[in-house]
């Protein structure tokens, strides 16, 4: 915590009425808008700036590009800032309880959208002891717009995006990834924020599913859609998003090919590839033993992982081994033996899959794996065992939860029903009330 004397350089008129004014900053670059807020705050008393900690920033959809220590230094360097503290709760509860500032100052842009939940909470906390909220008009000129865009686009650069998954695993109790297969679904993963029980929530990462990428192209999920086409999907997604990407690499193909895939994914800014220990004509895991599926040997698959690790150039990229023993009914001991072998071969994480409705076997695997290995990240895909919550999975040592196909599965029936009804009624009027208004669809995508 920085602490400069609030009395230094204060005009006499301010000393007599020295009140405390609190501002929360959650930016890596200071622009005119922030300076305006600080100047406004200074008129009311001694200015305390709260630097939002990394974990809270991430919940706020603002991933830091500099460290908390660097942000504190940045804020300390501003004129009229008397003290910098760390704010841990995005809703301000911790800081207002602790400081009881006479005033909180925030731009009026938080009156709309999900941030209004934070505003409501601040108003309630202040009203408990007679504090006041001051809301200067948000500065929105071309320069401020440009800086906001630069900050956002910096996060989309491969260097920043790639390392974000490892950073998130350290910071978030559980990383939530949503399936995406296009620019549009990418935007949904990027922008969807909900307010629930007074907290804001959003997805941390994106999953480029082989099932949904293939389905979107009208093809079966049998490694038919080639890597070049899969990379095109990644391009579409990275064009319009900043969140980290976990790529479904199916079996990884031949080891001789997999090493090239690793290089390309890394270069594109993908954070992780998950490859499954199957071989030959891969079928979707949710078919289980209803179709012929061959599991790779521990030796072959370990060699593939080791070759991939050797090929990668950065420390950021993760190769995650997916174990199909439970899907193929080969038993828990086989699953665990494989998990430990694949970690020894260099896997940066383990994904365990099941198609049972009951999460029992997944939880048993996670508990037993965690007893022997407290650190290696664990990934699950609760498509079949969907009654279990993220919190329960995290309590059993899970680090990443992937919602692998729900976007596609919700969109398809909606589109099919619309197509059927247009055919049924020979016009589109009857479907109109379930459609997004035309005005909204033409403004959905922001122009630069
Ligand atoms: C996918 O989403 O393509 C997956 C997960 O591999 S599953 O469909 O459950 O096998
Ligand atoms: Mg798949």
């Amino acid at each position: 915590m920085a602490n400069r004397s609030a009395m230094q350089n204060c005009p006499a008129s301010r000393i007599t009425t020295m009140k405390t004014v609190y501002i929360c900053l959650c930016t890596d670059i200071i622009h005119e808008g922030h300076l305006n807020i600080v100047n406004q705050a200074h008129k009311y008393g001694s200015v305390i700036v709260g630097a939002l900690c990394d974990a809270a920033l991430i919940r706020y959809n603002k991933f830091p590009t500099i460290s908390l220590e660097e942000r504190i230094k940045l804020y300390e360097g501003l004129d009229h800032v008397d003290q910098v503290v760390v704010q841990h709760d995005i809703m301000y509860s911790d800081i207002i309880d602790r400081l009881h500032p006479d005033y909180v100052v925030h731009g009026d842009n938080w009156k709309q959208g999900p941030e209004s939940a934070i505003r409501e909470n601040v108003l309630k906390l202040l009203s408990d002891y007679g504090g006041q909220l001051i809301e200067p008009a948000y500065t929105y000129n071309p320069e401020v717009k440009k800086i906001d865009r630069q900050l956002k686009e910096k996060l989309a650069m491969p260097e920043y995006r790639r390392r974000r998954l490892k950073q998130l695993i350290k910071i978030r109790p559980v990383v939530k990834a949503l399936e995406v297969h296009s620019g549009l679904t990418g935007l949904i993963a990027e922008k969807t924020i909900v307010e629930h029980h007074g907290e804001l929530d959003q997805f941390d990462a994106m999953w480029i599913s082989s099932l949904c990428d293939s389905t979107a192209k009208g093809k079966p999920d049998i490694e038919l859609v080639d890597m070049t086409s899969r990379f095109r999907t990644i391009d579409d997604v990275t064009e319009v998003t900043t969140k980290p990407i976990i790529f479904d690499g199916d079996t990884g193909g031949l080891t001789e090919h997999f090493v090239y895939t690793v290089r390309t994914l890394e270069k594109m800014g993908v954070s992780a590839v998950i490859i499954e220990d199957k071989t030959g004509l891969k079928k979707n895991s949710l078919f289980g033993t209803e179709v012929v599926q061959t599991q790779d040997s521990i030796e072959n698959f370990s060699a593939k992982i080791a070759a991939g690790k050797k090929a990668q150039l950065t420390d950021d990229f993760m190769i995650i081994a997916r174990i199909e023993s439970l899907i193929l009914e080969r038993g828990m001991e086989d699953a665990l033996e494989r998990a430990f072998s694949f970690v020894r071969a260099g896997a940066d994480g383990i994904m365990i899959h099941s198609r049972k409705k009951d999460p029992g076997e997944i939880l048993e695997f996670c508990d037993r794996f965690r007893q022997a290995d407290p650190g290696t990240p664990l990934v699950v895909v609760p498509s079949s065992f969907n009654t279990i919550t993220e919190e329960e999975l995290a309590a059993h040592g899970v680090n990443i939860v992937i919602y692998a196909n729900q976007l596609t599965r919700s969109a398809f029936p909606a589109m099919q029903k619309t197509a059927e009804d247009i055919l049924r009624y020979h016009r589109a009027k009857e479907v109109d009330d379930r459609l997004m208004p035309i005005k909204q669809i033409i403004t959905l995508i922001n122009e630069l």
Side-chain angles (χ1 to χ4, degrees), residues 207-267:
W207 163 246
I208 301 202
S209 147
S210 66
L211 171 63
C212 299
D213 201 2
S214 307
T215 303
K217 292 170 171 59
K219 297 276 172 64
D221 181 21
I222 52 171
E223 291 188 294
L224 172 65
V225 177
D226 66 31
M227 272 301 162
T228 310
S229 171
R230 304 282 317 276
F231 295 155
R232 222 13 267 149
T233 304
I234 298 176
D235 270 338
D236 289 344
V237 170
T238 54
E239 277 284 316
V240 294
T241 61
T242 62
K243 291 185 179 178
I245 292 173
I246 306 169
F247 182 74
D248 177 357
D250 287 322
T251 64
L254 297 172
T255 299
E256 292 83 345
H257 293 175
F258 180 57
V259 288
Y260 285 93
T261 304
V262 165
R263 278 282 173 92
T264 309
L265 293 173
E266 223 187 341
K267 211 163 47 200

Side-chain angles (χ1 to χ4, degrees), residues 156-174:
M157 293 297 170
E159 291 305 311
Y160 287 98
R161 193 196 295 259
R162 192 173 48 231
R163 70 167 83 115
R164 247 171 104 168
L165 187 65
K166 276 197 174 173
Q167 292 173 316
L168 280 165
I169 291 170
K170 280 201 200 115
I171 300 171
R172 297 285 276 144
V174 63

